[in-house]
Amino acid sequence: MKNITPAFDSNLLSASAEEKIDYFKNKIVRHPHLEQSYNLARECIEFSEKGEIVWIVGPVGVGTSQIGRKLWSDSRHSASELDDGEISASTSPCIAVTAPDHSDRIDTKYWTRLLGDILRAHGDILIDRKIYAPPNQFTLTHPIPYVDPRNRDFDALKYAVINMMQHRRTKLLLINQADRLLPESHPGGCLRSLQILRDLAAQTDARIVLIGSYQLAHSACTRNNWLRRQQTVHLRRYDHTNPQEFKSYALALINLLAEMPIENRLEALSVEAAKDLCISTVGCVGTLKRALTQAFQHALRTGEKMTEDFILQFAPYNKVALEIAEDTKRGERLFLDVSLDEVRDVLNATTAEPTRGIRNGPGKPIPKIATGSPGGINQRRIGERNSSRDPSGGAHGSQHP
């Protein structure tokens, strides 16, 4: 049993319910996985080569969006003026957008919507309402190319986005829910998205950061191992079977409970209740925060006491948790490593002796690699690992796949 000491200002107890809820919603609790992944994301952004894309992936509700918000908050600053002859425009070092939803198809119309969102988020809020004037009757003095809203095709918008990002010296483009760009049901759309993203990254000085669930990782890995050739940040869940990870999760839970400004608060937390919450939220602190927020709101409205059983009522349904757990385990397999012995087996493999009737030489069949004999290639599915390796969710931090 762990006692919970209030960490909020006692004056909040006399505040309105809306003020209490806003306080708790805006409270961010730091925990090891979040801090490690954020620091790795900053390093990937800083040291990635031009044209590379940074991926931030993890299970649903683990907190990838929180990393995106922190990157945006830390990267933006007050607008400053840059003088370039008679032209002055404010800089925009960071821009964040959410990929729009789609109907299982990623075509140029979809990317037209997304590019328009980027232009609007960049400050060009009237992109759909500008008055058209023929070039021979109007002298354009703004350095960002004008896009006719009546004839704004994909190529024009793409050029406008590239030019705007260059002119405003954008260093970071964050795209949340980026798994929408790579639907498994539309392979052609996935390839189109990857090519457009690569073009945007290569033609600007900005680093593009894609933020999404394991669906993003799965789609990217099946497209010619695209994900493995880029900078990747894997924000993992907490594994309740690992004592150190469960301790970190429980500490985050206690810190959140300590920030609830309510009279009938929970004063102590048992290990059993913490483990039940860890399992029902699949070890994801973001999902935990949503469950605690719902419990807090309900307790404020009804006046009920915050007990362990009361809080557990607002955890995800077991069926929902099961679906998330299954998706999480499939996603984690994408990031499993293999033993060094497997690499050694491949490098030490020798070709078999030529069989009768097969000759070596230019244009002749090549002998097959021996796979069944000792020293041959140890064939294994991509993502599988030796049983001697540590299980997923072990002590390793965020890593590149």
Side-chain angles (χ1 to χ4, degrees):
M1 186 75 73
K2 176 70 174 179
N3 293 330
I4 303 174
T5 304
F8 55 87
D9 187 344
S10 58
N11 293 326
L12 281 171
L13 292 175
S14 58
S16 65
E18 291 76 12
E19 291 174 326
K20 293 178 180 178
I21 293 173
D22 288 341
Y23 170 82
F24 186 72
K25 283 184 176 180
N26 295 326
K27 198 66 181 178
I28 303 299
V29 171
R30 300 170 61 180
H31 53 90
H33 283 188
L34 184 66
E35 292 296 309
Q36 293 167 6
S37 296
Y38 173 76
N39 292 334
L40 180 57
R42 291 297 299 265
E43 292 177 5
C44 290
I45 292 170
E46 182 177 355
F47 298 110
S48 61
E49 299 291 336
K50 185 175 182 179
E52 283 188 325
I53 297 174
V54 178
W55 307 69
I56 302 177
V57 297
V60 175
V62 74
T64 52
S65 296
Q66 180 60 41
I67 291 182
R69 284 191 289 268
K70 186 170 176 57
L71 288 172
W72 179 80
S73 177
D74 292 347
S75 300
R76 62 191 294 262
H77 55 75
S78 57
S80 60
E81 297 297 323
L82 295 177
D83 294 328
D84 185 11
E86 298 180 354
I87 300 172
S88 68
S90 62
T91 61
S92 184
C94 179
I95 180 174
V97 295
T98 298
D101 205 352
H102 56 80
S103 56
D104 295 328
R105 288 194 61 82
I106 304 296
D107 49 20
T108 54
K109 290 183 179 179
Y110 177 86
W111 269 96
T112 296
R113 291 170 54 197
L114 180 54
L115 293 174
D117 290 344
I118 294 175
L119 287 169
R120 282 186 289 270
H122 235 325
D124 202 353
I125 59 177
L126 298 180
I127 189 65
D128 295 321
R129 300 178 182 274
K130 290 182 178 179
I131 300 175
Y132 175 70
N136 58 351
Q137 300 179 18
F138 179 70
T139 302
L140 182 64
T141 58
H142 199 282
I144 299 174
Y146 172 72
V147 179
D148 182 2
R150 301 178 307 176
N151 187 30
R152 29 176 279 196
D153 57 12
F154 166 77
D155 291 331
L157 282 174
K158 179 181 174 182
Y159 175 68
V161 168
I162 292 174
N163 191 285
M164 178 181 287
M165 292 173 65
Q166 291 174 338
H167 175 73
R168 294 189 176 173
R169 301 187 180 183
T170 301
K171 299 300 180 183
L172 192 60
L173 171 59
L174 304 169
I175 303 180
N176 196 22
Q177 297 188 22
D179 42 294
R180 295 176 176 177
L181 304 178
L182 304 170
E184 291 185 82
S185 59
H186 191 201
C190 292
L191 294 176
R192 178 181 291 109
S193 292
L194 293 174
Q195 184 60 52
I196 295 173
L197 290 168
R198 184 166 58 183
D199 289 344
L200 290 177
Q203 297 184 50
T204 66
D205 290 331
R207 295 298 180 265
I208 298 179
V209 179
L210 302 182
I211 305 169
S213 65
Y214 282 132
Q215 180 62 43
L216 173 63
H218 186 272
S219 298
C221 282
T222 57
R223 309 301 171 208
N224 299 321
N225 285 330
W226 174 274
L227 184 67
R228 299 177 185 271
R229 301 199 306 268
Q230 308 297 320
Q231 301 281 355
T232 307
V233 177
H234 179 202
L235 177 55
R236 299 181 297 111
R237 64 184 174 92
Y238 285 102
D239 184 1
H240 71 280
T241 64
N242 183 298
Q244 185 59 45
E245 293 204 3
F246 173 68
K247 181 179 178 181
S248 298
Y249 177 93
L251 181 60
L253 170 58
I254 291 173
N255 290 337
L256 284 170
L257 291 172
E259 294 291 351
M260 286 187 176
I262 188 172
E263 295 285 355
N264 298 326
R265 63 182 183 83
L266 184 66
E267 297 180 351
L269 179 70
S270 66
V271 175
E272 293 76 14
K275 186 156 293 187
D276 287 344
L277 278 171
C278 187
I279 295 173
S280 62
T281 60
V282 197
C284 296
V285 176
T287 303
L288 171 66
K289 177 70 178 296
R290 284 195 293 272
L292 293 179
T293 301
Q294 293 176 359
F296 181 52
Q297 291 173 325
H298 190 81
L300 286 175
R301 182 173 61 84
T302 63
E304 295 180 66
K305 182 176 177 57
M306 296 282 290
T307 64
E308 293 176 345
D309 291 337
F310 176 81
I311 294 175
L312 283 168
Q313 296 178 43
F314 297 89
Y317 291 113
N318 294 338
K319 187 174 182 179
V320 175
L322 178 61
E323 294 177 355
I324 297 175
E326 291 173 344
D327 291 340
T328 298
K329 296 297 287 186
R330 283 194 295 268
E332 287 174 340
R333 284 195 288 270
L334 297 173
F335 295 89
L336 294 182
D337 202 357
V338 298
S339 69
L340 191 60
D341 289 337
E342 293 191 49
V343 181
R344 184 179 295 108
D345 288 342
V346 173
L347 295 177
N348 294 342
T350 58
T351 58
E353 291 295 328
T355 59
R356 178 179 294 183
I358 299 180
R359 295 176 296 170
N360 294 320
K364 301 301 180 181
I366 300 175
K368 295 182 179 179
I369 301 296
T371 59
S373 59
I377 297 178
N378 184 9
Q379 291 184 331
R380 172 184 309 274
R381 286 187 179 182
I382 296 176
E384 289 185 350
R385 73 195 308 169
N386 287 336
S387 58
S388 61
R389 297 282 288 183
D390 58 308
S392 173
H396 296 292
S398 301
Q399 57 182 314
H400 300 283

